[in-house]
Amino acid sequence: MWAICNPKADGDLKPCAALGKTLSRLSQPTILTVLAASAVPLHGYVIVQKAAESPMFGGNKPDATGVYRTLRQMEENGYVTSWWETPKAGPAKRAFELTDAGREALRRWIDSLACYTSTINELRVLASGALGIKTPPTPTCKGS
Amino acid sequence: MWAICNPKADGDLKPCAALGKTLSRLSQPTILTVLAASAVPLHGYVIVQKAAESPMFGGNKPDATGVYRTLRQMEENGYVTSWWETPKAGPAKRAFELTDAGREALRRWIDSLACYTSTINELRVLASGALGIKTPPTPTCKGS
DNA sequence: CTTGGGGTTGCAGATAGCCCACATCTCTCC
DNA sequence: GGAGAGATGTGGGCTATCTGCAACCCCAAG
């Protein structure tokens, strides 16, 4: 659904490897963040646009299908509410809004994300050590 | 295959969510690191043990099936070589050793991991901002 | 014969990405 | 002025991959 960072290693490390191609799993927090950052309800399509600008993608639009699916799933979990808007002109569109449960979920996500970074970083340090590399160089992405 | 960090949120954020249950995708670098850290070739079984001690798991043993599969895949990619050892006594066991290509791959992985952490952290900062939370609290995991 | 080391296959369920259907509106090109 | 491209908007459905569980093979020690 979404790619992340450096694309060079493609094929041999998979897209960017592991989390790589399908760091998808971070779709929930990404969408939650997009919604949380908005003062008004958003349409699915807009969420796709905004998600594309999220750090998760260097502007690469996520698969819309996936976003809608995640949205539906989040609604089942009570993290968002949605309703149809049927303007006189134009196609019907569904509007999504965060619930309190959704905000709470995002709060938990923030801890999880912190956890991920520290865990991954530990691995990185270990790996560097095993290779006899000094201090790991500072992160740089923005490649994609 | 492997779990990561805080287990509390289970069910509603999924195990630890996203990368969560199947942060599996980091099996490659974990195994590469285990091999790189060893002066001698290792048996698959041992790799499973050592991987369990990696930051990726709080001691939770990864599913052996997955490890062996990853190992075979890595061999196809030329990251490791393996051979059978048939001791007079005891079952045959396969020994694995890192190749230069494997070390090179790990080196690339280190960059990818750095990339992951910074990307995930950016999301975390964004999320915190969206919720109006001050500076994100310092990471703590070790829960699992 | 049970436990534990050591390794592997098969299967089933979950994921997730891609293609495409459907609908409306706008803008361009002939 | 009419055809068609293309953006806006939502989804269904197929397929491929992932991955964990259960099962099964070997062998040795207790």
Side-chain angles (χ1 to χ4, degrees), chain B residues 2-143:
Chain B
W2 2 45
I4 186 178
C5 56
N6 81 56
K8 306 173 191 172
D10 210 291
D12 100 328
L13 277 190
K14 311 191 180 169
C16 176
L19 301 193
K21 171 88 174 172
T22 59
L23 218 184
S24 339
R25 303 148 180 279
L26 295 182
S27 56
Q28 261 222 24
T30 302
I31 295 176
L32 286 172
T33 299
V34 167
L35 282 170
S38 169
V40 297
L42 297 176
H43 301 145
Y45 195 86
V46 176
I47 295 175
V48 174
Q49 317 287 316
K50 303 233 181 198
E53 296 156 21
S54 134
M56 266 327 139
F57 332 71
N60 308 305
K61 280 205 188 76
D63 176 43
T65 314
V67 173
Y68 287 116
R69 274 202 274 251
T70 302
L71 245 8
R72 238 174 301 144
Q73 184 208 313
M74 290 198 299
E75 184 158 23
E76 280 166 32
N77 292 338
Y79 296 166
V80 300
T81 41
S82 73
W83 58 91
W84 283 99
E85 288 179 357
T86 51
K88 289 161 196 160
K93 50 186 77 172
R94 193 193 283 274
F96 294 90
E97 197 176 37
L98 219 52
T99 64
D100 284 337
R103 266 176 288 274
E104 178 54 34
L106 184 51
R107 226 165 286 133
R108 283 194 302 272
W109 261 108
I110 291 171
D111 295 337
S112 290
L113 293 176
C115 173
Y116 291 167
T117 57
S118 76
T119 302
I120 295 175
N121 208 55
E122 273 181 67
L123 177 60
R124 183 167 140 259
V125 170
L126 273 183
S128 307
L131 285 180
I133 296 176
K134 308 115 214 285
T135 318
T138 359
T140 326
C141 297
K142 305 301 170 196

Side-chain angles (χ1 to χ4, degrees), chain A residues 2 6 12 16 20 35 53 59 79 89-90 95 97 99 104-106 123:
Chain A
W2 0 45
N6 82 56
D12 100 329
C16 177
L35 282 169
E53 296 157 22
Y79 296 166
E97 198 176 37
T99 64
E104 179 53 33
L106 183 52
L123 176 60

